[in-house]
Amino acid sequence: MKLLHRYIFGSVGSAALFGAGLFAFVLVAANAVKDVVERVASGQLTLPVAAHMVALLVPFTLSFAAPMGLLVGILVVLGRMSARNEIVALKSAGLSLWRISCSIVVLSLIGAGICAYVNNYYAPMARAQYRELLSGIVHEAPLRFIVPGRFVRDFPGYVIYAGERDGERLGNVWIWVLGPDRQVRQFLQARRGSISYDAAKNTLILDVAQATGESRGSSSADDMGEVRPQIVLDRASFALPMDRLMSSQSVQTRPQKLSNMSLPQLVEVRDEAGLGMGSAAPGSVEFRQAEVARTRASFYISRNFAFAFSAVALAMLGIPLGIQVGRQETYANMAIALALGLLYFMFVFMAGWAERTPEAYPQFMVWLPNVGFIALGVGLMIRANRH
């Protein structure tokens, strides 16, 4: 029995590591392309800082990648054993499915413990550091956001293009001023310009000289009949707010998001909100605000643990599915794991929609996918063990 358990434990564990690594790579790559790669290509980020940011993305992805990887490992190993009739031989020897799969349950509990620690301590810290680095890019070198030869769409209401740049000086500057409907309201082309940063207002100041262009009416920006006479300006200045790129407050003073808090911080927020409820009159605005704050903190505490326990829930469902499906194809098993994982996390995120509704008890709702998957898995195990 010990030899069998070591074999299953090692086989599932190695396959789970491969699956978790693959899912983590996909998730890290998706986030890196969005936030890091483009800024490296445009010169806004140096390679060492970019590598550090990519490394900080790994703990955050483990909440999703580790349970998915474990499910892949279970489906691959048990599917192969079932396809080779090894499960039938073990059952013929008098071993039940519960004894065969107990090493997998132990592995899932170990994975859940590791994920619980990462979700409650390391991942929030890494996520907060990632956001600080992203905001610090602008604080340290705000002028890097105007990159020569690139259409800059980071500033609401503007699209900017500079053909040349030498420090703060720009050449061949094109500016499109957009309306609320994202249609062009004004277009300017300037021979030269300059860029500076107003730290007090958290704003880039774009000054252009010798500008010509045209403006269009607001009724129909695409109608060429709405184009008005050409604009000729000796000088013009544009204030480009950077609130979308970073908070106007410093990293040290801006409020920390609950999703970036560790377990002790969330417990502190929950307890403070509970004290606020005790000191406020029931039914008052202050009481409601404190109640919502306590519910949100409780929800994030429960969500972090529920995400970690998903390793057990997915494992309990994956064991009977791996045995009954009985497929040796790795890609097919990965597709099944992906479908089940997406279904699980969809239910978890749906519970998050009610995080500001104390009457819905979202801190308990977030556990329902775990309960449902485990109940379904136990039912399938009982059924498979009878045949």
Side-chain angles (χ1 to χ4, degrees):
M1 282 298 298
K2 291 183 179 180
L3 182 62
L4 173 64
H5 290 319
R6 283 201 301 267
Y7 168 73
I8 295 177
F9 188 94
S11 300
V12 173
S14 58
L17 287 176
F18 171 79
L22 181 60
F23 284 115
F25 173 79
V26 172
L27 293 172
V28 168
N31 285 275
V33 168
K34 181 180 67 174
D35 291 333
V36 179
V37 174
E38 185 178 356
R39 288 184 168 89
V40 172
S42 63
Q44 298 172 13
L45 270 179
T46 61
L47 285 177
V49 174
H52 186 198
M53 293 181 67
V54 171
L56 290 173
L57 286 171
V58 175
F60 171 70
T61 62
L62 287 179
S63 299
F64 310 93
M68 294 289 291
L70 178 60
L71 181 57
V72 168
I74 293 170
L75 292 175
V76 168
V77 174
L78 293 187
R80 183 177 64 241
M81 293 178 65
S82 180
R84 296 175 179 176
N85 293 322
E86 294 176 2
I87 299 295
V88 174
L90 291 173
K91 291 176 66 176
S92 300
L95 298 178
S96 67
L97 292 182
W98 302 103
R99 294 189 65 186
I100 295 172
S101 58
C102 64
S103 58
I104 298 178
V105 176
V106 172
L107 180 62
S108 68
L109 290 172
I110 294 174
I114 295 173
C115 288
Y117 176 81
V118 172
N119 293 351
N120 285 289
Y121 294 97
Y122 195 59
M125 178 187 67
R127 188 158 52 241
Q129 290 182 5
Y130 179 85
R131 295 302 176 190
E132 289 176 7
L133 283 174
L134 198 58
S135 298
I137 296 168
V138 189
H139 280 293
E140 296 173 1
L143 303 187
R144 289 184 179 179
F145 279 81
I146 302 298
V147 180
R150 174 175 172 262
F151 290 92
V152 180
R153 298 180 174 87
D154 296 319
F155 307 102
Y158 296 96
V159 177
I160 300 168
Y161 175 87
E164 303 171 1
R165 178 179 169 185
D166 183 12
E168 296 184 356
R169 292 179 296 179
L170 305 174
N172 189 22
V173 182
W174 294 13
I175 304 171
W176 290 266
V177 182
L178 310 179
D181 55 357
R182 301 289 297 171
Q183 297 292 332
V184 177
R185 295 287 180 260
Q186 192 176 70
F187 168 72
L188 289 176
Q189 182 177 6
R191 295 182 59 185
R192 64 180 186 274
S194 63
I195 190 74
S196 59
Y197 178 58
D198 186 345
K201 298 181 179 179
N202 190 35
T203 301
L204 284 183
I205 307 299
L206 175 62
D207 297 307
V208 295
Q210 299 180 357
T212 60
E214 63 185 27
S215 63
R216 299 184 178 183
S218 59
S219 60
S220 178
D222 294 327
D223 186 359
M224 296 305 295
E226 291 285 336
V227 177
R228 297 176 180 176
Q230 189 176 38
I231 301 171
V232 179
L233 299 174
D234 290 334
R235 290 189 176 275
S237 182
F238 298 88
L240 308 175
M242 307 192 72
D243 293 337
R244 273 183 54 183
L245 302 175
M246 65 176 180
S247 171
S248 59
Q249 299 172 303
S250 67
V251 172
Q252 290 76 17
T253 59
R254 68 171 180 261
Q256 188 177 9
K257 293 183 178 180
L258 293 179
S259 59
N260 294 342
M261 290 185 180
S262 63
L263 178 60
Q265 291 173 317
L266 287 171
V267 171
E268 183 179 357
V269 171
R270 184 193 62 185
D271 293 343
E272 289 179 357
L275 292 176
M277 291 178 61
S279 60
S284 63
V285 176
E286 293 77 12
F287 183 89
R288 179 65 179 181
Q289 291 175 344
E291 185 182 24
V292 171
R294 187 182 69 170
T295 300
R296 293 190 66 215
S298 299
F299 167 76
Y300 280 98
I301 293 172
S302 295
R303 194 187 72 167
N304 288 339
F305 282 104
F307 270 152
F309 201 74
S310 66
V312 178
L314 292 175
M316 290 301 298
L317 183 57
I319 292 171
L321 285 180
I323 293 172
Q324 292 183 5
V325 172
R327 301 182 66 94
Q328 298 190 58
E329 298 89 345
T330 302
Y331 295 116
N333 288 316
M334 290 187 66
I336 296 173
L338 182 60
L340 290 174
L342 290 176
L343 182 64
Y344 172 88
F345 289 114
M346 181 186 69
F347 286 135
V348 172
F349 288 127
M350 286 174 62
W353 297 344
E355 68 173 89
R356 296 180 182 273
T357 310
E359 297 80 8
Y361 297 100
Q363 64 269 37
F364 301 120
M365 287 178 58
V366 76
W367 284 95
L368 292 180
N370 285 331
V371 175
F373 273 54
I374 290 176
L376 181 59
V378 170
L380 292 176
M381 279 280 288
I382 294 174
R383 180 181 177 183
N385 198 48
R386 291 174 180 173
H387 293 80

